[in-house]
Amino acid sequence: MASGLQRQTRQSEPQQLQQSGDNEAVEELNTILKEYHVITEGDQELFNQHKDEGKVRLTQENKHKLKPGDVVELRYYKLVHFIVVEGIWTLPDTLAVEGVRTLPDTPAVEGVRTLPDTPAVEGVRTLPDTPAVEGVRTLPDTPAVDGVRTLPDTPAVEGVSTLPDTPADFIIIDAIHYGRPNLLTPNRIIREKFSLRLNTEKCWLHVFPPASCYPSQTVLQRARSRLNEEEHSGISNNATMFALWCKVESPTHRPSCRVPIYLSNEHPTHTVNLGDHIEIKYSFGKVHAEITDVEQVLDDSYLATIVTRKAAWIPYVHESEHVLTEPVSRVISMTDKKEIVELSDRTQFLDRVLYPVSEQSSLSICSLLLSAEHQGDEWQRAALQGPEKKCEPRVLTGKQNPSLSKPGDIIHLNDVYRVVTDVRAVESGTRVRTVQYCPGPDSIDSGEMMELKCPILKQEKRISLCVHNEVHQDCELYGGGREKPSYTATSFKPQVSSQPPEIKQIKKGRVISLRNEYGFYKHAVVIETFSESDSSKEAKAASLAENPSRRSNAGDEDVADSPMPIESKARGSGAEQAKIFQEKADAETDTGKKLVCKLMSFKLCPSVSTEQFQLKTHCMEIDIDEQSNQDVHLIDYNVEASRKFPPDKVVKRALSRLGEREHDFLWNSDRDFARWCSIEHGSNREQCRIDIECAKDLVNFGRGHIKFLKSPSLYTHDAIMRECSKFEDSDDIIKVRLYENNHQFRTVRKEVLVISQQETVLRVNYDDLSLSKSIMPDSKVIDQLTDCTFLSAKDGMRGWTGKEAKRGSKVTSHDLCHWLKCKRQGKSLGDIAELFDAKLEKIQKDAARLDELGFVSLEQGKISQECVLRVSSLRQFDHIVLDRKVQGKVTKVHFILVEWDAESCTGVGVTYEAPAENVEMGFNEFNGFLRVTGPGQLKKVVHNTELDWEKIDAKFKDCQGARNYKLFFNNCEHFVNFLIYGRFTSLQLSDWALRATSACPSFAVSFFKGVGKFAKLVNRVIQFFADITPAVPDGKTFWSEGLGLLFIIGFSAVEAAILVFRKATTGMPEDEYRQRWKCLLSSLASTVVGLLAGIGIGTTALLPLTGIAIASAGIGHLAPRIPTIVETRRKP
């Protein structure tokens, strides 16, 4: 099935030449149009010039850079508005032809000379023998001007006027955008012309990384495909989102858009082509289908062949046979005893036709089949339009023998009116063949595909086009979408399942459902299986003792099931663990057929790193005995086979989330985890965060999205780890390469030094240190260190976030030079651990001991000023201090001279500093050494979809060096999500906002209760000292509770808006979205009930009010989760 994104509207189809001409001319024109929409080097250059700002103001000087497919920001009804450019008029007397700028009869422009009637110039493309059109002024055989393509003898487009005497800064933009002709009409996607004076009106051209953009031709096709759409929302589907949907490639854009085919004669009418998707809404459901064939029956009517999923309620015209033995009711049609005309042809024409009208009755279709009012084309037109109104049946008194029925009769059978087409007598009764409009034999909820036909009128208002962002990902016909698919649970108990599966069907990569120790069903992924028929118990025990791809938390223990090696308290060697499982295998009985499974699911386990019980993924084992009839079910998801992962990948995905502690009954339960591992689907959780316990975990992760934890735990720093490798024999230091939006770090860099005689040079004297064993570093070591940074993961976690410290780790240029000077391994970096944590503190103490006497004489001091007098006395491998600019400020920088020429006083020094100029935060590449010493420092993020590293690298290459960090609009997480998904979103910010808005209602209640009490106290004091009637009655302060209620509703509305926005800008599954809405409404209801309960009690004591607040919050939290918990108790 083809994609529906290639559709163009009828109004925007290219104009055809009015007279017959040369085919080569037409092909040449199409080639120029096609090449005009290709991303050029100018796009890359424009983005590189303005990537810091992200946009450039259009002026008279740069207006030529604007082209079709660009996104422009301007003022619309005095508000900031985004439009998609479809065509541009930039010169007087210029015509817009489908986004191509033609120059018929154009006056001279400064710097450009037009040459009419000039012979063809070599290398110039012309359209030979193009027929002249009456009244059209052309530029025959005009040579190409640098960068300008002309179309000689190009006909003018009908209805386009010229603009003589136009100011030079005047521009007209044909745009597609979400707008309205006036404030009384609804917002819809329309075409509109914008006349702008660039010197007086602000108009901005937004630039995007070319690697993340669609080609201009695709941008225009996507924009045109949504013309007439009326689903505007200021939060989830506004003009900005529409422009980004058209321009930027992202899998998390709005997945499906419903577009009317026809609105009125004032709006463009969409054509319906092969591969288009349509949606038909009924009162009892909707039909989503793809068009596989279109047949034009009449001038204004089409009959489309569609493919949709089978459903039990879908009605369509079909034939069926019935063997009748009982009398049936015959219905009198609108005209009784009329001659039947062309009944077989009509039946064939309407076979499998689905009408897009929910009120259509079976009797109306029967009357249409037998209608004698229309013949030929008129009847076909009436059939495609459908019956205009329902027919009220009139049933004869009594029943009629079915053998007396004849073709053309309308009978009432099984609550459906049917037209008899054939009657035959058989041994068992009367076989009657009928045609009817009702759910047919294909109307079953099997999820399979069926083919139907649907009439579509030229001015069709009953059917909407459905435009998908990405068909294979978002369309349910391809197994996509964000709705959670159903599954089938087959029990192994013979008394439960008629055909129980064999035990051997439980194998690697399958999902099973079993009851846990608390009586709840939970889903688990089978990691590995072992049966009693294995060749040896030793092999089984040894295989069970193998650890997964990562180790879990040290000290974690499975509190219910038998512990696996990764969960045991005593972590012995592999031989000891194998011995444990050997003893367990020997203890098993040999009766029955047993299967030992290594499973993976969520389990309540203690965590040493967090010091509390949390739900996490873990490994366990169970025994399934056919004779014991354990309550175990085999799970099979009702999706296409192409959506199911192979067993090895299922296990790999499961192990990638080992150690996760983000369980939630509503949207991240064991059932969600098992589905995430098993199938490729949009209903899966988009991002899963897992703790990194040690450096080995990060090496096993390889590459991907990581988070640096910060203390206090308010935020994380996100980055893309492009490369990760183990560093020599170190257990906690790794070599990494990161893409991130951060400060420019300090790096080891070589700098050419030219020292004048007047420059102050300080040399560090190491004479009193025992450096007899020190070795000058090899040049290869220096090369390995060049451009590297030394970073400890816990530095940032402990608050090492000062302005200067953000330039890298705690290592300074002084520390690095001292380490190089005292280095014991000349050709190896094995002692690089000395630059981290406790060993770094020792280096810093040694360096401070050298500096403690300050700058004094050469003999007594440790830092010498001797070089001020004689620079030529410097030698290779000296440690010197120079005044150099760092981050725009002159400071003392330490160098090691790796090269030195005493005669010319020039050389090369190695230092560890930030760049000389002050560089703001931006998109940088980090190369260096990272130390991970334990849990609680890093998290890895596992994404539902595989990361496209080619696109990530291309996007980073485009953006590298941009300086546009903004906390709320372009922070580190925005950047990472852009590289992966093509969107600028931050889940951290939305999480903060959701938590704040959910906590504010209870705060508002407490606050306004306090305000009310204070007001009452003030009035009592006034009344006591002065005989004045209090302004606030000495009763219940309903006004304070009323204000509290208003604040509760206001904060809940803000929370709802944040939730809707997050759904629109991320890949949030539909089920999670509904569950979060339930939580929001439950919290709102419980808070209001708690407020009313506090008013009803009328107490001012702190303890009862606190109890009411805690109880209402607990009820609001548990209420939406209770149905899910009950379901896990009852449903496998």
Side-chain angles (χ1 to χ4, degrees), residues 85-124:
V85 178
E86 189 179 24
I88 311 103
W89 295 7
T90 58
L91 295 175
D93 292 324
T94 303
L95 304 178
V97 183
E98 273 299 289
V100 179
R101 290 171 284 186
T102 58
L103 308 176
D105 197 27
T106 307
V109 183
E110 183 179 355
V112 179
R113 291 178 294 178
T114 57
L115 305 174
D117 299 319
T118 306
V121 182
E122 183 179 356
V124 176

Side-chain angles (χ1 to χ4, degrees), residues 551-622:
R551 71 177 184 88
S552 63
N553 296 338
D556 285 357
E557 180 183 3
D558 189 337
V559 297
D561 293 324
S562 56
M564 294 297 293
I566 61 169
E567 302 292 345
S568 60
K569 282 185 178 179
R571 298 184 179 277
S573 63
E576 293 175 347
Q577 295 173 356
K579 183 178 179 180
I580 295 173
F581 283 95
Q582 177 64 45
E583 293 174 355
K584 183 171 181 177
D586 294 336
E588 293 175 350
T589 60
D590 294 329
T591 59
K593 296 181 180 179
K594 290 187 177 180
L595 188 70
V596 180
C597 301
K598 184 190 293 186
L599 305 178
M600 190 168 172
S601 182
F602 278 101
K603 184 70 179 180
L604 188 62
C605 297
S607 171
V608 172
S609 62
T610 55
E611 298 181 355
Q612 61 181 353
F613 284 86
Q614 290 189 351
L615 287 164
K616 54 171 283 185
T617 54
H618 73 296
C619 285
M620 61 185 177
E621 62 175 28
I622 63 169

Side-chain angles (χ1 to χ4, degrees), residues 282 284 286-288 308-316 318 354 437-440 442-444 450 452:
Y282 295 94
F284 37 80
K286 66 178 181 180
V287 173
H288 182 87
T308 186
R309 290 197 179 276
K310 294 181 179 180
W313 56 268
I314 297 181
Y316 59 95
H318 63 280
L354 167 71
Y437 184 75
C438 65
D442 288 341
S443 299
I444 55 176
M450 67 175 178
L452 300 173

Side-chain angles (χ1 to χ4, degrees), residues 4-162:
L5 294 179
Q6 302 300 323
R7 177 177 58 254
Q8 292 186 356
T9 59
R10 182 182 303 276
Q11 183 172 337
S12 62
E13 290 176 354
Q15 298 288 335
Q16 301 294 328
L17 297 178
Q18 300 296 323
Q19 299 181 10
S20 60
D22 196 345
N23 292 334
E24 294 182 358
V26 179
E27 293 178 0
E28 183 72 13
L29 177 59
N30 292 333
T31 301
I32 294 176
L33 289 172
K34 184 176 181 180
E35 291 180 355
Y36 186 78
H37 297 287
V38 176
I39 294 179
T40 62
E41 295 181 358
D43 298 325
Q44 185 70 57
E45 181 181 357
L46 184 65
F47 174 77
N48 292 337
Q49 292 174 354
H50 305 281
K51 60 183 177 182
D52 288 350
E53 303 84 7
K55 59 184 180 181
V56 54
R57 182 177 176 180
L58 288 174
T59 61
Q60 181 181 350
E61 290 73 23
N62 64 7
K63 65 182 180 181
H64 63 279
K65 297 181 180 180
L66 187 65
K67 66 180 188 306
D70 282 342
V71 174
V72 171
E73 174 192 336
L74 42 72
R75 290 285 175 174
Y76 189 72
Y77 289 106
K78 298 184 178 180
L79 298 175
V80 175
H81 194 72
F82 285 75
I83 62 174
V84 178
V85 178
E86 189 179 24
I88 311 103
W89 295 7
T90 58
L91 295 175
D93 292 324
T94 303
L95 304 178
V97 183
E98 273 299 289
V100 179
R101 290 171 284 186
T102 58
L103 308 176
D105 197 27
T106 307
V109 183
E110 183 179 355
V112 179
R113 291 178 294 178
T114 57
L115 305 174
D117 299 319
T118 306
V121 182
E122 183 179 356
V124 176
R125 291 181 179 176
T126 60
L127 301 181
D129 302 327
T130 305
V133 182
E134 183 179 355
V136 177
R137 291 170 292 183
T138 62
L139 301 178
D141 295 324
T142 306
V145 183
D146 188 20
V148 179
R149 282 198 179 123
T150 59
L151 301 179
D153 291 325
T154 307
V157 181
E158 182 181 356
V160 179
S161 59
T162 58

Side-chain angles (χ1 to χ4, degrees), residues 1100-1116:
T1100 59
L1102 179 62
L1103 187 60
L1105 292 177
T1106 305
I1108 292 174
I1110 295 175
S1112 62
I1115 292 173

Side-chain angles (χ1 to χ4, degrees), residues 750-755 776 779 782-783 874-878 880 895-902 904-910:
K750 294 181 180 179
E751 184 175 330
V752 177
L753 302 177
V754 179
I755 303 177
M776 179 176 176
S779 59
I782 301 297
D783 293 338
L874 293 176
R875 58 188 179 273
Q876 189 178 13
F877 202 46
D878 271 352
I880 64 174
F895 292 90
I896 293 292
L897 291 176
V898 294
E899 297 179 14
W900 180 249
D901 185 358
S904 61
C905 295
T906 60
V908 176
V910 174

